[in-house]
Amino acid sequence: MSETNTQSTEEANSETDDALQVLLIEDNPGDARLIQEMLHGTEELVKRVGAAETVDQTPELSHKTSLEDGLETISSERTDVILLDLNLSDSEGLSTLETVHEASETPIVVLTGLRDQQVGIKAIQRGAQDFLVKDEVTSELLIRTIHHAIERARQQRKRRQQREQLAALNRLNRIGHDITHAVITTETRAELEQQVCDRLTGSDAYRFAWIGEVNPGSDRVTPKAAAGVEEGYLDEIDVTVDEDERSGQGPAGTAIRTGQVQVMNDAQTDPQFEPWREPAHARGYRSSAAIPIIHEDLVYGVLGVYSSSPRAFEGPETAVLARTGDVIAHAITAIERRDALVSDAVIELEFRVEELAEPLIDLSSSEACTITIEQLVGGDETLLVYGSAQDVSQDAFTEAVDRTDGISDVRVLSAKRDEFEFELVAPTATSLFETIATHGGRVASATIDDGEFRFVVELPRGRDTRQMIELIRGQRDDITYLAQRTVERSERGEAGATSVLEDELTEKQRAALETAYFGGYFDWPRESTGEEIADRLGIAPATLNQHLRTAERKFFDSVLGE
């Protein structure tokens, strides 16, 4: 059903929602006219069944003279109760009842001209709510019978829904226990996610399940694991978390944005599911639930579960599914923390910036030179930048620096034939680098080469890379995210030193040690004196000496203390 047709049907129904809809299937004109007269002006029936807030309405009667026309009405219009003659021109006997009962759950009251109680009993056994002998029908009896039929049908539906919900809840709890077991036994995140999907679809409880994560640097949700009747569904759909995009308004995108389970009750009528309606219909998906996988501030992704039945995710099932998402998120966190303990791997995010230090970017293009930034040291009021420049003269480099906004001083520390090391001073740390440091990252390196300024941000494993990417891009409009990779610290020989710097030193001790090291204070001959280093940091020489001695002692304690 298209969205337009759905809206048209809803609008048509809304116009008659306040009236009780009675369908009479009767081919005898005299009997039909009698039923119509009995129902005319029977506001009492509307009061009894509670079908309208406005109680002065009479029931609306739709009269059809054949089974075929009656079935067409049942399929296209809302009907509250059916009055059915068992002997029609195109159908006779109890087979007429069986045909109507199979076509609709609407309560049925059988009309018969036979004074045979057995016919009525058989009709009730085969699905009718009640029966009436035409010659004995009165207005009061008709009203009471219709009222009781509607109420009994309501109670039957309610009990059936409760049984179905209880069965679904028990099934889901069993699945939850299996998923908890999978959490304990799996070794990797990929294995865990696949087992979750396999278990959800393994018992035919659900038709399809998949887990996706938000791609770093974009709002697109990328599938990572799936099981069940997929048949290319994930290749056809486009899911994002951008609330301004049409593709981000569905259950999965909304679940990630809000952190709440999102239920889609009917794929054929839910307007927010319209972008995915046709692919879902082709694979028999009628309802779905999207469960966010989030631990504290870490957004790992979303679990999508699909059923072949409408309204399959109601009541307490939502709470169980939410707990399932929490279990998965905790498990992923535990796996990543375990991996972090046995590995020195870190996450590197690479970016390009267009309009920062433009004179230096232009210099790298015109002189075919390379400028490498190896260390940023943040002081109380300054940002010190240490690096090297290749294939460019010191004069050309210094002149470009003088034209660069945000840099107050430049100093050449050492020089070789085709390369020299430098120190740049910014009066205050830029908000970009402050943001990175505040959220647990650090700028590991930066390169200006061939007309491009690229920098690499390092994060511990397990951090939300997407959040860091959004924070960095939010600082400047000219920043482009390029890549993400996992790097072993041991490859760069940083494991032991990084541990001391991060765990043992205070911020001021670390800044003093790094500034002295990259400023050439420990070289021989020295490239910077103690007074120059202290001046860069805005502290007294005696304070610098105290910071350095303390940092040196802590470093040697960590190496030689055993």
Side-chain angles (χ1 to χ4, degrees):
M1 182 184 296
S2 68
E3 185 177 10
T4 303
N5 289 339
T6 302
Q7 291 175 344
S8 299
T9 302
E10 290 174 351
E11 291 171 359
N13 287 341
S14 66
E15 296 175 358
T16 58
D17 277 346
D18 289 339
L20 183 68
Q21 302 296 313
V22 180
L23 172 61
L24 172 62
I25 306 178
E26 170 65 73
D27 60 358
N28 186 308
D31 291 339
R33 184 165 56 253
L34 181 62
I35 294 295
Q36 288 174 335
E37 291 176 355
M38 288 182 180
L39 288 177
H40 182 70
T42 55
E43 294 88 352
E44 181 63 27
L45 176 59
V46 180
K47 293 180 183 178
R48 289 189 181 188
V49 301
E53 296 180 2
T54 307
V55 296
D56 59 352
Q57 289 186 335
T58 60
E60 291 197 1
L61 180 67
S62 176
H63 176 214
K64 302 299 176 182
T65 59
S66 68
L67 178 60
E68 180 181 358
D69 291 343
L71 293 174
E72 183 178 348
T73 301
I74 291 171
S75 65
S76 61
E77 299 178 12
R78 180 176 66 84
T79 303
D80 295 312
V81 65
I82 299 172
L83 303 179
L84 176 65
D85 182 13
L86 290 183
N87 296 301
L88 301 170
S89 59
D90 55 347
S91 180
E92 293 185 356
L94 292 174
S95 62
T96 305
L97 169 64
E98 293 172 348
T99 301
V100 175
H101 185 61
E102 290 175 358
S104 173
E105 295 184 352
T106 304
I108 302 170
V109 175
V110 166
L111 301 175
T112 177
L114 301 175
R115 296 178 179 273
D116 188 349
Q117 296 291 332
Q118 292 302 315
V119 174
I121 293 173
K122 289 181 180 179
I124 292 175
Q125 290 174 343
R126 300 193 185 189
Q129 288 295 333
D130 211 334
F131 74 98
L132 291 171
V133 178
K134 295 180 184 179
D135 292 344
E136 298 177 351
V137 177
T138 64
S139 179
E140 177 59 29
L141 178 60
L142 180 62
I143 292 172
R144 185 170 63 248
T145 302
I146 291 176
H147 173 212
H148 290 168
I150 293 175
E151 186 58 32
R152 278 195 297 269
R154 284 178 180 172
Q155 294 301 320
Q156 288 174 353
R157 284 195 298 269
K158 183 177 180 180
R159 287 193 294 270
R160 184 178 67 253
Q161 290 171 355
Q162 289 173 341
R163 289 194 299 271
E164 291 174 351
Q165 287 181 359
L166 181 59
L169 191 59
N170 289 335
R171 181 175 62 242
L172 192 56
N173 278 321
R174 289 194 298 271
I175 293 173
H177 290 148
D178 290 345
I179 290 174
T180 302
H181 178 72
V183 164
I184 298 172
T185 58
T186 52
E187 294 293 329
T188 66
R189 175 177 175 180
E191 183 183 356
L192 169 67
E193 292 173 337
Q194 187 59 54
Q195 286 204 26
V196 168
C197 295
D198 290 341
R199 185 60 192 92
L200 285 166
T201 58
S203 63
D204 296 327
Y206 302 107
R207 190 164 180 80
F208 175 52
W210 69 289
I211 289 178
E213 68 176 2
V214 182
N215 188 27
S218 76
D219 294 316
R220 201 164 304 279
V221 179
T222 303
K224 306 298 290 185
V229 183
E230 193 266 342
E231 298 177 351
Y233 178 73
L234 296 175
D235 293 330
E236 289 189 33
I237 66 171
D238 187 22
V239 179
T240 69
V241 296
D242 186 351
E243 61 183 356
D244 295 329
E245 293 289 337
R246 187 167 178 242
S247 57
Q249 294 301 313
T254 305
I256 294 175
R257 282 199 311 275
T258 63
Q260 302 293 324
V261 175
Q262 301 297 311
V263 173
M264 186 276 297
N265 285 315
D266 196 332
Q268 300 306 307
T269 60
D270 192 324
Q272 289 188 317
F273 202 72
E274 195 274 333
W276 310 276
R277 180 166 295 139
E278 291 304 321
H281 176 71
R283 294 159 179 84
Y285 310 154
R286 288 296 305 274
S287 59
S288 74
I291 303 97
I293 304 174
I294 300 174
H295 177 67
E296 295 179 350
D297 293 331
L298 297 179
V299 180
Y300 291 118
V302 63
L303 167 64
V305 186
Y306 298 74
S307 172
S308 57
S309 303
R311 311 190 73 85
F313 305 93
E314 292 187 327
E317 282 189 79
T318 302
V320 176
L321 288 169
R323 289 198 297 272
T324 300
D326 291 339
V327 170
I328 298 171
H330 278 278
I332 294 174
T333 300
I335 289 172
E336 293 194 343
R337 286 177 178 172
R338 181 197 63 201
D339 291 345
L341 291 175
V342 298
S343 171
D344 290 319
V346 294
I347 302 296
E348 287 189 345
L349 305 175
E350 186 173 6
F351 300 86
R352 180 176 62 244
V353 58
E354 305 289 346
E355 300 174 4
L356 184 64
E358 288 182 280
L360 293 175
I361 295 176
D362 294 339
L363 181 67
S364 71
S365 180
S366 62
E367 297 291 332
C369 65
T370 300
I371 301 168
T372 303
I373 296 173
E374 299 168 352
Q375 188 71 19
L376 300 175
V377 181
D380 292 337
E381 299 180 354
T382 59
L383 177 68
L384 302 179
V385 181
Y386 294 95
S388 61
Q390 293 179 328
D391 302 322
V392 64
S393 68
Q394 296 182 27
D395 291 340
F397 177 78
T398 303
E399 191 273 332
V401 169
D402 291 339
R403 292 186 289 108
T404 301
D405 293 336
I407 298 178
S408 62
D409 193 13
V410 58
R411 187 163 63 105
V412 175
L413 301 177
S414 65
K416 300 178 182 178
R417 180 177 179 182
D418 298 322
E419 179 182 1
F420 60 88
E421 296 180 351
F422 60 81
E423 175 192 71
L424 304 178
V425 182
T428 58
T430 65
S431 59
L432 171 63
F433 300 113
E434 284 182 328
T435 299
I436 294 171
T438 300
H439 290 83
R442 75 180 189 92
V443 178
S445 64
T447 304
I448 302 175
D449 184 30
D450 197 22
E452 281 193 345
F453 187 162
R454 298 191 177 200
F455 65 93
V456 174
V457 174
E458 182 183 282
L459 284 174
R461 288 189 64 178
R463 290 294 178 90
D464 190 342
T465 57
R466 181 172 174 269
Q467 181 188 43
M468 177 61 76
I469 292 168
E470 291 178 349
L471 286 168
I472 291 174
R473 293 197 303 190
Q475 290 295 312
R476 297 179 62 96
D477 295 333
D478 60 333
I479 289 180
T480 302
Y481 166 74
L482 299 177
Q484 174 179 318
R485 51 186 170 266
T486 301
V487 178
E488 292 290 338
R489 273 180 170 165
S490 58
E491 294 177 2
R492 302 182 311 211
E494 294 183 355
T498 300
S499 176
V500 176
L501 290 175
E502 292 179 351
D503 300 337
E504 300 294 335
L505 303 185
T506 67
E507 290 186 8
K508 291 185 177 181
Q509 291 167 359
R510 177 172 176 171
L513 186 62
E514 290 180 338
T515 304
Y517 178 80
F518 289 100
Y521 177 76
F522 297 110
D523 295 344
W524 187 259
R526 286 179 173 173
E527 301 294 341
S528 299
T529 65
E531 288 77 7
E532 289 173 325
I533 298 298
D535 181 63
R536 288 291 189 239
L537 294 172
I539 59 178
T543 304
L544 170 67
N545 186 59
Q546 181 182 358
H547 288 333
L548 290 180
R549 293 295 296 273
T550 303
E552 289 168 352
R553 177 177 52 78
K554 289 181 177 180
F555 179 80
F556 289 128
D557 282 346
S558 68
V559 176
L560 305 175
E562 294 298 327

mmCIF file of all heavy atoms in Angstrom, residues 31-60:
data_model
loop_
_atom_site.group_PDB
_atom_site.id
_atom_site.type_symbol
_atom_site.label_atom_id
_atom_site.label_comp_id
_atom_site.label_asym_id
_atom_site.label_seq_id
_atom_site.Cartn_x
_atom_site.Cartn_y
_atom_site.Cartn_z
ATOM 1 N N ASP A 31 -36.235 -8.951 4.904
ATOM 2 C CA ASP A 31 -35.456 -9.126 6.135
ATOM 3 C C ASP A 31 -34.465 -7.984 6.332
ATOM 4 O O ASP A 31 -34.257 -7.509 7.457
ATOM 5 C CB ASP A 31 -34.710 -10.454 6.088
ATOM 6 C CG ASP A 31 -35.656 -11.657 6.173
ATOM 7 O OD1 ASP A 31 -36.792 -11.462 6.653
ATOM 8 O OD2 ASP A 31 -35.247 -12.761 5.748
ATOM 9 N N ALA A 32 -33.850 -7.523 5.234
ATOM 10 C CA ALA A 32 -32.895 -6.419 5.330
ATOM 11 C C ALA A 32 -33.575 -5.148 5.803
ATOM 12 O O ALA A 32 -33.038 -4.419 6.648
ATOM 13 C CB ALA A 32 -32.235 -6.192 3.972
ATOM 14 N N ARG A 33 -34.780 -4.883 5.249
ATOM 15 C CA ARG A 33 -35.492 -3.664 5.638
ATOM 16 C C ARG A 33 -35.884 -3.731 7.111
ATOM 17 O O ARG A 33 -35.826 -2.739 7.838
ATOM 18 C CB ARG A 33 -36.731 -3.492 4.762
ATOM 19 C CG ARG A 33 -37.495 -2.191 5.038
ATOM 20 C CD ARG A 33 -38.490 -1.880 3.941
ATOM 21 N NE ARG A 33 -39.431 -3.000 3.753
ATOM 22 C CZ ARG A 33 -39.405 -3.830 2.719
ATOM 23 N NH1 ARG A 33 -38.482 -3.685 1.771
ATOM 24 N NH2 ARG A 33 -40.290 -4.800 2.601
ATOM 25 N N LEU A 34 -36.264 -4.909 7.595
ATOM 26 C CA LEU A 34 -36.633 -5.069 9.000
ATOM 27 C C LEU A 34 -35.447 -4.777 9.917
ATOM 28 O O LEU A 34 -35.581 -4.087 10.931
ATOM 29 C CB LEU A 34 -37.151 -6.492 9.224
ATOM 30 C CG LEU A 34 -37.604 -6.816 10.656
ATOM 31 C CD1 LEU A 34 -38.777 -5.927 11.059
ATOM 32 C CD2 LEU A 34 -37.981 -8.289 10.775
ATOM 33 N N ILE A 35 -34.263 -5.293 9.563
ATOM 34 C CA ILE A 35 -33.061 -5.048 10.369
ATOM 35 C C ILE A 35 -32.728 -3.554 10.372
ATOM 36 O O ILE A 35 -32.367 -2.975 11.418
ATOM 37 C CB ILE A 35 -31.876 -5.862 9.829
ATOM 38 C CG1 ILE A 35 -32.132 -7.363 10.000
ATOM 39 C CG2 ILE A 35 -30.584 -5.466 10.525
ATOM 40 C CD1 ILE A 35 -32.213 -7.826 11.434
ATOM 41 N N GLN A 36 -32.867 -2.916 9.221
ATOM 42 C CA GLN A 36 -32.577 -1.477 9.130
ATOM 43 C C GLN A 36 -33.503 -0.682 10.040
ATOM 44 O O GLN A 36 -33.071 0.252 10.725
ATOM 45 C CB GLN A 36 -32.729 -1.025 7.685
ATOM 46 C CG GLN A 36 -31.621 -1.518 6.768
ATOM 47 C CD GLN A 36 -31.870 -1.181 5.317
ATOM 48 O OE1 GLN A 36 -33.029 -0.996 4.903
ATOM 49 N NE2 GLN A 36 -30.803 -1.111 4.522
ATOM 50 N N GLU A 37 -34.792 -1.053 10.063
ATOM 51 C CA GLU A 37 -35.749 -0.334 10.918
ATOM 52 C C GLU A 37 -35.439 -0.552 12.393
ATOM 53 O O GLU A 37 -35.568 0.363 13.218
ATOM 54 C CB GLU A 37 -37.168 -0.814 10.595
ATOM 55 C CG GLU A 37 -37.649 -0.373 9.222
ATOM 56 C CD GLU A 37 -39.013 -0.951 8.883
ATOM 57 O OE1 GLU A 37 -39.519 -1.777 9.694
ATOM 58 O OE2 GLU A 37 -39.564 -0.590 7.821
ATOM 59 N N MET A 38 -35.023 -1.751 12.746
ATOM 60 C CA MET A 38 -34.701 -2.028 14.153
ATOM 61 C C MET A 38 -33.481 -1.244 14.632
ATOM 62 O O MET A 38 -33.403 -0.864 15.799
ATOM 63 C CB MET A 38 -34.445 -3.530 14.334
ATOM 64 C CG MET A 38 -35.687 -4.389 14.244
ATOM 65 S SD MET A 38 -35.299 -6.135 14.522
ATOM 66 C CE MET A 38 -36.929 -6.884 14.355
ATOM 67 N N LEU A 39 -32.523 -1.022 13.730
ATOM 68 C CA LEU A 39 -31.318 -0.297 14.114
ATOM 69 C C LEU A 39 -31.492 1.205 14.058
ATOM 70 O O LEU A 39 -30.673 1.954 14.615
ATOM 71 C CB LEU A 39 -30.149 -0.702 13.203
ATOM 72 C CG LEU A 39 -29.581 -2.111 13.429
ATOM 73 C CD1 LEU A 39 -28.485 -2.397 12.419
ATOM 74 C CD2 LEU A 39 -29.024 -2.255 14.842
ATOM 75 N N HIS A 40 -32.512 1.693 13.385
ATOM 76 C CA HIS A 40 -32.705 3.139 13.254
ATOM 77 C C HIS A 40 -33.060 3.759 14.606
ATOM 78 O O HIS A 40 -33.980 3.317 15.293
ATOM 79 C CB HIS A 40 -33.823 3.429 12.240
ATOM 80 C CG HIS A 40 -34.028 4.912 12.045
ATOM 81 N ND1 HIS A 40 -33.115 5.716 11.415
ATOM 82 C CD2 HIS A 40 -35.067 5.730 12.416
ATOM 83 C CE1 HIS A 40 -33.553 6.957 11.397
ATOM 84 N NE2 HIS A 40 -34.753 6.991 11.996
ATOM 85 N N GLY A 41 -32.315 4.771 14.981
ATOM 86 C CA GLY A 41 -32.583 5.496 16.216
ATOM 87 C C GLY A 41 -32.175 4.756 17.469
ATOM 88 O O GLY A 41 -32.654 5.081 18.552
ATOM 89 N N THR A 42 -31.303 3.762 17.342
ATOM 90 C CA THR A 42 -30.882 2.980 18.523
ATOM 91 C C THR A 42 -29.595 3.556 19.104
ATOM 92 O O THR A 42 -28.533 2.949 19.047
ATOM 93 C CB THR A 42 -30.681 1.494 18.148
ATOM 94 O OG1 THR A 42 -29.758 1.426 17.046
ATOM 95 C CG2 THR A 42 -31.985 0.841 17.767
ATOM 96 N N GLU A 43 -29.699 4.799 19.652
ATOM 97 C CA GLU A 43 -28.526 5.401 20.283
ATOM 98 C C GLU A 43 -28.037 4.583 21.464
ATOM 99 O O GLU A 43 -26.878 4.628 21.851
ATOM 100 C CB GLU A 43 -28.848 6.819 20.755
ATOM 101 C CG GLU A 43 -29.130 7.806 19.650
ATOM 102 C CD GLU A 43 -30.614 7.805 19.245
ATOM 103 O OE1 GLU A 43 -31.339 6.916 19.734
ATOM 104 O OE2 GLU A 43 -31.006 8.680 18.460
ATOM 105 N N GLU A 44 -28.945 3.789 22.047
ATOM 106 C CA GLU A 44 -28.575 2.985 23.197
ATOM 107 C C GLU A 44 -27.465 1.992 22.875
ATOM 108 O O GLU A 44 -26.594 1.712 23.702
ATOM 109 C CB GLU A 44 -29.807 2.219 23.705
ATOM 110 C CG GLU A 44 -29.553 1.352 24.935
ATOM 111 C CD GLU A 44 -29.138 2.179 26.137
ATOM 112 O OE1 GLU A 44 -29.506 3.365 26.217
ATOM 113 O OE2 GLU A 44 -28.406 1.632 26.993
ATOM 114 N N LEU A 45 -27.481 1.486 21.629
ATOM 115 C CA LEU A 45 -26.431 0.534 21.241
ATOM 116 C C LEU A 45 -25.069 1.211 21.245
ATOM 117 O O LEU A 45 -24.074 0.643 21.705
ATOM 118 C CB LEU A 45 -26.747 -0.038 19.850
ATOM 119 C CG LEU A 45 -25.697 -0.989 19.267
ATOM 120 C CD1 LEU A 45 -25.484 -2.185 20.186
ATOM 121 C CD2 LEU A 45 -26.111 -1.445 17.873
ATOM 122 N N VAL A 46 -25.018 2.449 20.729
ATOM 123 C CA VAL A 46 -23.753 3.187 20.708
ATOM 124 C C VAL A 46 -23.254 3.437 22.121
ATOM 125 O O VAL A 46 -22.066 3.345 22.410
ATOM 126 C CB VAL A 46 -23.923 4.509 19.934
ATOM 127 C CG1 VAL A 46 -22.613 5.288 19.908
ATOM 128 C CG2 VAL A 46 -24.403 4.244 18.519
ATOM 129 N N LYS A 47 -24.201 3.756 23.028
ATOM 130 C CA LYS A 47 -23.811 3.981 24.414
ATOM 131 C C LYS A 47 -23.213 2.718 25.026
ATOM 132 O O LYS A 47 -22.224 2.750 25.746
ATOM 133 C CB LYS A 47 -25.023 4.413 25.233
ATOM 134 C CG LYS A 47 -25.580 5.781 24.869
ATOM 135 C CD LYS A 47 -26.785 6.093 25.747
ATOM 136 C CE LYS A 47 -27.416 7.441 25.368
ATOM 137 N NZ LYS A 47 -28.606 7.731 26.192
ATOM 138 N N ARG A 48 -23.829 1.588 24.727
ATOM 139 C CA ARG A 48 -23.393 0.336 25.348
ATOM 140 C C ARG A 48 -21.988 -0.068 24.913
ATOM 141 O O ARG A 48 -21.170 -0.488 25.726
ATOM 142 C CB ARG A 48 -24.375 -0.787 25.000
ATOM 143 C CG ARG A 48 -25.721 -0.656 25.695
ATOM 144 C CD ARG A 48 -26.536 -1.911 25.460
ATOM 145 N NE ARG A 48 -27.850 -1.815 26.089
ATOM 146 C CZ ARG A 48 -28.706 -2.835 26.172
ATOM 147 N NH1 ARG A 48 -28.368 -4.008 25.654
ATOM 148 N NH2 ARG A 48 -29.870 -2.683 26.741
ATOM 149 N N VAL A 49 -21.705 0.037 23.635
ATOM 150 C CA VAL A 49 -20.408 -0.431 23.140
ATOM 151 C C VAL A 49 -19.328 0.625 23.269
ATOM 152 O O VAL A 49 -18.151 0.357 23.022
ATOM 153 C CB VAL A 49 -20.502 -0.897 21.673
ATOM 154 C CG1 VAL A 49 -21.501 -2.026 21.545
ATOM 155 C CG2 VAL A 49 -20.866 0.256 20.740
ATOM 156 N N GLY A 50 -19.715 1.871 23.648
ATOM 157 C CA GLY A 50 -18.713 2.912 23.819
ATOM 158 C C GLY A 50 -18.008 3.249 22.542
ATOM 159 O O GLY A 50 -16.807 3.512 22.523
ATOM 160 N N ALA A 51 -18.721 3.279 21.429
ATOM 161 C CA ALA A 51 -18.094 3.505 20.130
ATOM 162 C C ALA A 51 -17.943 4.960 19.793
ATOM 163 O O ALA A 51 -17.349 5.296 18.788
ATOM 164 C CB ALA A 51 -18.910 2.827 19.033
ATOM 165 N N ALA A 52 -18.495 5.863 20.603
ATOM 166 C CA ALA A 52 -18.404 7.273 20.242
ATOM 167 C C ALA A 52 -18.449 8.135 21.472
ATOM 168 O O ALA A 52 -19.063 7.802 22.468
ATOM 169 C CB ALA A 52 -19.557 7.652 19.313
ATOM 170 N N GLU A 53 -17.770 9.252 21.393
ATOM 171 C CA GLU A 53 -17.871 10.245 22.449
ATOM 172 C C GLU A 53 -19.212 10.974 22.342
ATOM 173 O O GLU A 53 -19.782 11.413 23.323
ATOM 174 C CB GLU A 53 -16.718 11.243 22.343
ATOM 175 C CG GLU A 53 -15.355 10.596 22.568
ATOM 176 C CD GLU A 53 -14.250 11.607 22.447
ATOM 177 O OE1 GLU A 53 -14.561 12.798 22.226
ATOM 178 O OE2 GLU A 53 -13.071 11.218 22.573
ATOM 179 N N THR A 54 -19.712 11.108 21.137
ATOM 180 C CA THR A 54 -21.012 11.738 20.919
ATOM 181 C C THR A 54 -22.055 10.640 20.907
ATOM 182 O O THR A 54 -22.158 9.874 19.946
ATOM 183 C CB THR A 54 -21.035 12.492 19.576
ATOM 184 O OG1 THR A 54 -19.929 13.387 19.537
ATOM 185 C CG2 THR A 54 -22.315 13.248 19.399
ATOM 186 N N VAL A 55 -22.852 10.545 21.968
ATOM 187 C CA VAL A 55 -23.718 9.383 22.160
ATOM 188 C C VAL A 55 -25.075 9.522 21.484
ATOM 189 O O VAL A 55 -25.912 8.653 21.599
ATOM 190 C CB VAL A 55 -23.926 9.116 23.663
ATOM 191 C CG1 VAL A 55 -22.614 8.750 24.302
ATOM 192 C CG2 VAL A 55 -24.568 10.320 24.339
ATOM 193 N N ASP A 56 -25.312 10.632 20.765
ATOM 194 C CA ASP A 56 -26.606 10.779 20.120
ATOM 195 C C ASP A 56 -26.574 10.317 18.673
ATOM 196 O O ASP A 56 -27.459 10.635 17.897
ATOM 197 C CB ASP A 56 -27.065 12.243 20.187
ATOM 198 C CG ASP A 56 -26.070 13.171 19.517
ATOM 199 O OD1 ASP A 56 -24.981 12.688 19.150
ATOM 200 O OD2 ASP A 56 -26.396 14.371 19.373
ATOM 201 N N GLN A 57 -25.531 9.528 18.299
ATOM 202 C CA GLN A 57 -25.459 9.004 16.946
ATOM 203 C C GLN A 57 -26.095 7.626 16.872
ATOM 204 O O GLN A 57 -26.050 6.852 17.822
ATOM 205 C CB GLN A 57 -24.005 8.906 16.488
ATOM 206 C CG GLN A 57 -23.365 10.259 16.239
ATOM 207 C CD GLN A 57 -21.973 10.096 15.653
ATOM 208 O OE1 GLN A 57 -21.343 9.085 15.859
ATOM 209 N NE2 GLN A 57 -21.528 11.094 14.934
ATOM 210 N N THR A 58 -26.654 7.305 15.735
ATOM 211 C CA THR A 58 -27.173 5.964 15.491
ATOM 212 C C THR A 58 -26.138 5.174 14.710
ATOM 213 O O THR A 58 -25.292 5.752 14.030
ATOM 214 C CB THR A 58 -28.486 6.038 14.694
ATOM 215 O OG1 THR A 58 -28.220 6.693 13.445
ATOM 216 C CG2 THR A 58 -29.550 6.799 15.456
ATOM 217 N N PRO A 59 -26.168 3.847 14.782
ATOM 218 C CA PRO A 59 -25.208 3.034 14.026
ATOM 219 C C PRO A 59 -25.358 3.274 12.530
ATOM 220 O O PRO A 59 -26.454 3.544 12.027
ATOM 221 C CB PRO A 59 -25.589 1.597 14.402
ATOM 222 C CG PRO A 59 -26.368 1.711 15.670
ATOM 223 C CD PRO A 59 -27.076 3.013 15.611
ATOM 224 N N GLU A 60 -24.266 3.159 11.821
ATOM 225 C CA GLU A 60 -24.287 3.271 10.372
ATOM 226 C C GLU A 60 -24.319 1.865 9.788
ATOM 227 O O GLU A 60 -23.437 1.052 10.063
ATOM 228 C CB GLU A 60 -23.076 4.048 9.863
ATOM 229 C CG GLU A 60 -23.113 5.519 10.229
ATOM 230 C CD GLU A 60 -22.149 6.348 9.390
ATOM 231 O OE1 GLU A 60 -21.482 5.751 8.513
ATOM 232 O OE2 GLU A 60 -22.075 7.561 9.616
#
